[in-house]
Amino acid sequence: TECHFSLPGRNRNEVMSTWGTGVAYARCHNTIMRNSDILDIATMADFFGNVWQCNAVILPPPLHMDEKKPYLQPVATIMGLFGRHQGQEALDVSSDAAIDVVASRTGSTVYLHIANTDMHTPQQLKVDLDGAAIQNITMEYIAADPETEVMMTCPDVFASTTVSVEGDTITIPAAGVAAVEITLA
């Protein structure tokens, strides 16, 4: 159930700090969610460290501890984004090939975890809840160039943006990962 995503080598691959890896981790998270009925426990990263790139939190080396703060790797950014928007019951959902999505629900709120696997083109997802009336839709998302890296000089490069969605069509930016809350009337 460990989901460490790495490339061959000494597990120090700088690609692990890029947003392209963040999108890949969103897909890994969605795979875990789709199979949560048979998983007892799952993890996406080691908690913290300063060398391995599969850590959730990177601690600056002791030399820089006074001037720099710990920061999140893309895996932890995804876990935080999706963890803030999570229902208690799984729902069936379908979408086009470029969008990886899972759904859950608690009461009158439906939650979507979305990854746009197209690194260059925004994708749209039309919400159809079998005729249920939608009161509002809010989307918290992160989108960046897939080669953008988080490091101690730019620890907030993958900060999320929250928007209200008008109508029933959600637009996910290129290489975007979104957590959507749909409140039913």
Side-chain angles (χ1 to χ4, degrees), residues 110-123:
V110 174
Y111 301 89
L112 304 177
H113 296 173
I114 305 170
N116 179 357
T117 61
D118 189 319
M119 298 293 120
H120 307 289
T121 308
Q123 299 293 316

Side-chain angles (χ1 to χ4, degrees), residues 8-83:
R10 295 182 52 212
N11 202 15
R12 300 176 81 167
N13 299 289
E14 299 305 320
V15 73
M16 300 304 289
S17 62
T18 66
W19 185 242
T21 300
V23 176
Y25 267 120
R27 295 196 76 191
C28 291
H29 183 279
N30 285 354
T31 298
I32 290 170
M33 294 301 294
R34 275 191 280 280
N35 295 285
S36 62
D37 59 328
I38 59 171
L39 290 173
D40 288 330
I41 188 171
T43 184
M44 301 243 315
D46 291 335
F47 182 62
F48 63 87
N50 57 16
V51 178
W52 287 7
Q53 296 297 303
C54 64
N55 291 310
V57 179
I58 296 294
L59 302 172
L63 176 63
H64 299 286
M65 283 302 280
D66 291 338
E67 58 197 66
K68 303 293 182 186
K69 297 192 182 305
Y71 60 92
L72 302 179
Q73 284 285 78
V75 62
T77 301
I78 295 300
M79 291 188 299
L81 174 65
F82 287 170

Side-chain angles (χ1 to χ4, degrees), residues 43-163:
T43 184
M44 301 243 315
D46 291 335
F47 182 62
F48 63 87
N50 57 16
V51 178
W52 287 7
Q53 296 297 303
C54 64
N55 291 310
V57 179
I58 296 294
L59 302 172
L63 176 63
H64 299 286
M65 283 302 280
D66 291 338
E67 58 197 66
K68 303 293 182 186
K69 297 192 182 305
Y71 60 92
L72 302 179
Q73 284 285 78
V75 62
T77 301
I78 295 300
M79 291 188 299
L81 174 65
F82 287 170
R84 288 189 295 275
H85 308 276
Q86 180 66 48
Q88 295 176 342
E89 304 167 14
L91 298 175
D92 289 331
V93 65
S94 63
S95 67
D96 293 334
I99 297 175
D100 185 347
V101 61
V102 295
S104 60
R105 178 179 183 161
T106 298
S108 62
T109 304
V110 174
Y111 301 89
L112 304 177
H113 296 173
I114 305 170
N116 179 357
T117 61
D118 189 319
M119 298 293 120
H120 307 289
T121 308
Q123 299 293 316
Q124 292 189 326
L125 177 67
K126 182 170 174 52
V127 177
D128 179 3
L129 297 170
D130 293 328
I134 297 172
Q135 182 175 331
N136 70 332
I137 301 175
T138 304
M139 176 173 74
E140 183 179 356
Y141 73 94
I142 304 166
D145 182 299
E147 294 180 13
T148 301
E149 289 183 63
V150 63
M151 54 188 83
M152 69 180 156
T153 58
C154 56
D156 300 319
V157 70
F158 301 137
S160 65
T161 301
T162 301
V163 297

